[in-house]
């Protein structure tokens, strides 16, 4: 009988527009994109091959500092499939120092509201993930998580 | 008499994707965007000039991806002829000044199947599949709720004030025999109910029910040919913002709510003080707080204390969610229909918990998780 193995984290399947982002993640590098035509070359997220502000295609990827602040969050007391043993865990939005915001988890801290004040400084840490396709091929990348600056992850 | 739409609109930009045929290096969404940007270049306009997005599927996704902030959206999806309908709908929207510049897009990775969505075995190429699902989200209770902690941080909104919304709405449900939850509750009951996603407890999350609703509409001049008191549509507004909660522009305010509400009040030519009754789609207890502020009934930070002071309950200052709402009345999944039904009942004078003197009612709906909004201003006053 075939057994369905549910990976802990749903594997993020890249599209051509996001492939470079996930390739960098697999090397534990967090990248953003920026517009070279907008004033101040503002960074943006999620990846796409044009500036979502002015639509210019004159954009480039760059490695982000990996530092940011906890912008908002919930503490999940019920887990997604694969996360049931992790409750309570933090589903967060992190505001990166470069400006864009992204969803992530906050790890490396006991999960209580008191330990998670808004604007808590955080830094990136990585969790390797892989996905075995039905044809046996294995895809690998890493998912960027965040921890309080200085915390062990 | 000729149609007011006759010769009343025109196509001023048109383009296809740069490539056609086999395009394995672009997702379906990027194909929409490629064609759209080229059409804008053809017309000599920018994304900021566009205020209507029409596409077969998700105009929300296209608006987010292209940085467009619309006042009119249409996702009519009835197969290959959808775009003829989009042209027709855009014409009507343009002539009636619901929008000024409409974008109609199509993109499909029909051969290469790149980024066509779908999820099997934990793999998805959609934006949320890549940038939210890997973090253990599990539906609305873990995502719709995310903005609220920021509202607490910025405005001092408290857990008790959030709970008070559920308490206030139960006060209405107590009067409504059709409401699913009718037992009186207090703030401690709400805080003692199971924590789902802190700071949200079970009683701050909507019910899950079965049900339905329907509406019949005719032209205003025929409105008196029917047995019931007519309810007129005085104003309407709509907008979309994003398809991922993590990309919300301001976690203390819904841009879609603000835009939708502004357009509805503008069309209705009334002020907030003219409103007698409000229905707000309350999938979770923070939605009435956000909506009362974003629709302009009060300033940011004022709604949560207002609910906590029980100003929305029977006999209070301004009745809100008088059927008990999604928290206590019913919530089938797409509750907006039930909000409109209660507005109609109140305007006809036949609600279970009837409020005296309701002449103007606002019914405000949310789509997705702050992704979209629609606002109706309804009245029983034919001379309004
Ligand atoms: Zn730009």
């Amino acid at each position: 009988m075939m057994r369905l193995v549910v990976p802990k984290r749903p594997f993020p399947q890249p599209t051509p527009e996001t492939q470079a982002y996930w390739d960098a993640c697999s090397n534990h590098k967090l990248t953003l994109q920026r517009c070279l035509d907008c004033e101040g070359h503002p960074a943006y997220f999620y990846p796409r091959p044009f500036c979502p502000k002015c639509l210019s295609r004159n954009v480039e990827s760059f490695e982000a500092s990996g530092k940011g602040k906890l912008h908002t969050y919930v503490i999940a007391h019920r887990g997604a499939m694969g996360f049931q043993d992790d409750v309570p865990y933090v589903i967060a939005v992190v505001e990166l120092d470069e400006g864009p915001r992204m969803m992530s988890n906050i790890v490396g801290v006991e999960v209580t509201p008191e330990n998670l004040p808004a604007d808590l400084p955080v830094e990136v840490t990585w969790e390797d993930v892989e996905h075995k396709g039905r044809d046996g091929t294995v895809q690998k990348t890493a998912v960027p998580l965040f921890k309080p600056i200085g915390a062990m992850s | 008499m000729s149609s007011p739409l006759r010769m009343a609109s025109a196509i001023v930009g048109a383009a296809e994707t740069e490539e056609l045929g086999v395009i394995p290096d672009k997702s379906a969404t990027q194909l929409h965007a490629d064609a759209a940007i080229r059409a804008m270049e053809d017309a000599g306009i920018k994304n900021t000039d566009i205020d209507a997005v029409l596409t077969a599927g998700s105009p929300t996704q296209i608006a987010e991806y292209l940085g467009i902030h619309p006042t009119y959206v249409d996702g009519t999806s009835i197969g290959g002829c959808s775009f003829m309908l989009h042209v027709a709908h855009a014409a009507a929207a343009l002539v009636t000044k619901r929008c000024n510049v409409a974008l109609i897009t199509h993109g499909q990775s029909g051969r290469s199947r790149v980024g066509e969505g779908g999820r099997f075995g934990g793999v998805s190429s959609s934006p949320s599949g890549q940038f939210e699902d890997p973090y253990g989200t599990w539906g609305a209770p873990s995502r719709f709720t995310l903005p609220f902690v920021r509202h607490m941080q910025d405005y001092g909104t408290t857990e008790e004030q959030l709970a008070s919304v559920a308490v206030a709405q139960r006060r209405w449900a107590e009067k409504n025999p059709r409401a699913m939850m009718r037992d009186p509750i207090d703030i401690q009951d709400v805080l003692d109910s199971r924590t789902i996603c802190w700071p949200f407890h079970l009683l701050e999350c909507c019910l899950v029910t079965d049900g339905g609703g329907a509406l019949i509409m005719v032209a205003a001049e025929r409105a008196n040919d029917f047995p019931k008191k007519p309810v007129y549509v005085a104003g309407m507004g709509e907008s979309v913002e994003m398809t991922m909660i993590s990309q919300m522009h301001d976690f203390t305010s819904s841009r879609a709510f603000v835009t939708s509400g502004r357009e509805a009040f503008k069309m209705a030519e009334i002020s907030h003080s003219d409103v007698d009754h409000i229905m707000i789609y309350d999938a979770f207890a923070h939605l009435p707080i956000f909506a009362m502020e974003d629709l302009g009934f009060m300033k940011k930070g004022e709604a949560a204390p207002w609910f906590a002071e029980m100003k929305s309950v029977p006999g209070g200052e301004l009745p809100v969610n008088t059927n008990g709402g999604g928290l206590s009345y019913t919530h089938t999944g797409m509750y907006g229909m039930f909000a409109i039904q209660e507005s109609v009942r109140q305007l006809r004078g036949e609600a279970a918990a009837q409020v005296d003197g309701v002449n103007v009612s606002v019914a405000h709906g949310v789509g997705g998780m702050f992704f979209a909004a629609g606002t109706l201003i309804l009245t029983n006053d034919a001379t309004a």
Side-chain angles (χ1 to χ4, degrees):
Chain A
M1 199 180 99
M2 208 176 93
R3 237 192 103 176
L4 187 66
V5 178
V6 180
K8 179 183 161 181
R9 292 184 188 275
F11 189 86
Q13 184 65 49
T15 62
E17 299 81 31
T18 63
Q19 186 70 53
Y21 170 83
W22 287 112
D23 286 349
C25 285
S26 69
N27 294 318
H28 294 191
K29 285 191 195 323
L30 182 65
T31 55
L32 293 170
Q33 289 172 292
R34 62 184 157 213
C35 177
L36 300 176
D37 286 342
C38 273
E39 201 179 316
H41 298 178
Y44 66 92
F45 183 84
Y46 51 97
R48 68 205 92 166
F50 58 88
C51 167
K53 195 165 160 222
C54 76
L55 301 187
S56 166
R57 300 175 185 89
N58 187 19
V59 299
E60 66 175 15
S61 282
F62 68 100
E63 186 174 353
S65 66
K67 293 195 165 48
K69 290 185 293 190
L70 175 57
H71 190 68
T72 191
Y73 67 97
V74 293
I75 299 173
H77 284 252
R78 205 189 103 186
M81 207 196 292
F83 286 72
Q84 291 95 335
D85 296 336
D86 292 355
V87 294
Y89 60 94
V90 184
I91 299 171
V93 174
V94 170
E95 183 169 289
L96 299 170
D97 283 357
E98 292 82 0
R101 298 185 190 132
M102 63 185 295
M103 186 176 278
S104 190
N105 300 127
I106 306 297
V107 297
V109 60
E110 193 199 343
V111 177
T112 66
E114 295 70 34
N115 286 346
L116 297 162
D119 298 325
L120 176 75
V122 293
E123 62 188 353
V124 73
T125 180
W126 295 91
E127 184 172 307
D128 294 322
V129 293
E130 64 172 47
H131 172 72
K132 206 169 274 177
R134 274 175 294 173
D135 59 356
T137 55
V138 176
Q139 287 176 278
K140 294 184 179 191
T141 188
V143 173
L145 309 181
F146 287 82
K147 58 177 181 161
I149 286 182
M152 307 287 286
S153 66
Chain B
M1 190 182 128
S2 65
S3 164
L5 302 185
R6 182 178 175 273
M7 299 290 288
S9 61
I11 295 167
V12 296
E16 296 181 351
T17 50
E18 184 177 11
E19 303 161 273
L20 280 180
V22 182
I23 315 176
D25 64 339
K26 287 191 175 71
S27 63
T29 304
Q30 181 58 29
L31 294 173
H32 279 267
D34 185 48
I37 293 171
R38 294 163 65 80
M40 288 180 231
E41 288 165 351
D42 183 60
I45 62 166
K46 304 190 298 276
N47 52 350
T48 48
D49 298 319
I50 292 169
D51 55 6
V53 178
L54 304 91
T55 193
S58 175
T60 317
Q61 172 77 78
I62 300 308
E64 174 191 39
Y65 201 72
L66 286 166
I68 295 168
H69 177 188
T71 59
Y72 185 87
V73 294
D74 187 326
T76 300
S77 183
I78 56 158
C81 62
S82 298
F83 313 101
M84 289 78 169
L85 278 75
H86 297 153
V87 171
H89 298 178
L94 290 160
V95 167
T96 55
K97 306 209 180 335
R98 304 273 327 271
C99 59
N100 296 301
V101 181
L103 169 70
I104 303 171
T105 72
H106 169 63
Q108 203 168 5
S109 185
R111 181 179 174 107
S112 301
R113 312 298 306 170
V114 182
E116 283 281 358
R119 184 179 154 190
F120 184 82
V123 175
S124 175
S125 57
S126 71
S128 61
Q130 294 183 65
F131 302 111
E132 292 196 340
D133 295 357
Y135 301 106
T137 55
W138 50 270
S142 69
R143 295 198 281 161
F144 212 156
T145 51
L146 257 176
F148 188 69
V149 163
R150 194 69 219 180
H151 199 284
M152 292 171 80
Q153 165 72 16
D154 288 3
Y155 296 107
T157 311
T158 67
E159 283 184 73
E160 288 74 16
Q161 289 169 346
L162 180 67
S164 74
V165 175
V167 172
Q169 293 192 188
R170 186 62 62 87
R171 297 276 298 277
W172 287 107
E174 286 169 33
K175 295 170 166 286
N176 187 348
R178 280 170 61 82
M180 178 173 256
M181 306 298 278
R182 301 186 59 204
D183 294 336
I185 52 172
D186 61 22
I187 286 178
Q188 201 56 47
D189 292 329
V190 178
L191 296 177
D192 288 346
S193 66
R194 189 157 53 89
T195 303
I196 305 296
C197 273
W198 183 88
F200 287 79
H201 307 82
L202 184 65
L203 293 180
E204 290 154 339
C205 303
C206 65
L207 304 167
V208 180
T209 67
D210 302 321
L215 299 162
I216 307 287
M217 292 180 67
V218 298
E221 56 264 31
R222 292 190 59 204
N224 285 309
D225 298 347
F226 301 86
K228 287 291 181 74
K229 186 159 145 186
V231 169
Y232 300 91
V233 182
M236 65 190 78
E238 68 196 70
S239 192
V240 297
E241 180 174 348
M242 71 300 166
T243 57
M244 288 193 285
I245 192 75
S246 58
Q247 299 305 306
M248 197 167 177
H249 287 80
D250 176 349
F251 285 85
T252 67
S253 171
S254 163
R255 195 171 74 176
F257 283 17
V258 170
T259 302
S260 177
R262 183 194 67 217
E263 294 297 311
F265 275 92
K266 195 164 73 184
M267 186 187 290
E269 297 176 13
I270 62 164
S271 69
H272 291 76
S273 59
D274 297 323
V275 175
D276 305 309
H277 170 255
I278 303 172
M279 293 301 297
I280 295 166
Y281 189 142
D282 57 327
F284 295 90
H286 60 323
L287 287 164
I289 295 172
F290 276 61
M292 290 300 282
E293 294 174 351
D294 290 344
L295 296 182
F297 286 97
M298 42 198 74
K299 295 196 188 75
K300 294 306 295 181
E302 291 181 355
W306 186 83
F307 279 107
E309 287 162 21
M310 294 292 135
K311 298 282 180 68
S312 69
V313 302
E317 187 179 290
L318 184 55
V320 178
N321 288 349
T322 51
N323 58 357
L327 299 178
S328 287
Y329 178 65
T330 203
H331 188 284
T332 51
M334 295 202 280
Y335 165 84
M337 171 57 85
F338 298 97
I340 299 170
Q341 296 282 340
E342 175 67 7
S343 287
V344 170
R345 286 192 293 264
Q346 289 285 351
L347 288 163
R348 286 175 169 182
E350 56 184 37
Q354 182 64 43
V355 177
D356 288 339
V358 177
N359 296 121
V360 178
S361 175
V362 171
H364 176 74
V366 65
M369 294 173 269
F370 285 121
F371 301 169
T375 312
L376 295 176
I377 298 178
L378 305 171
T379 181
N380 53 19
D381 181 357
T383 65

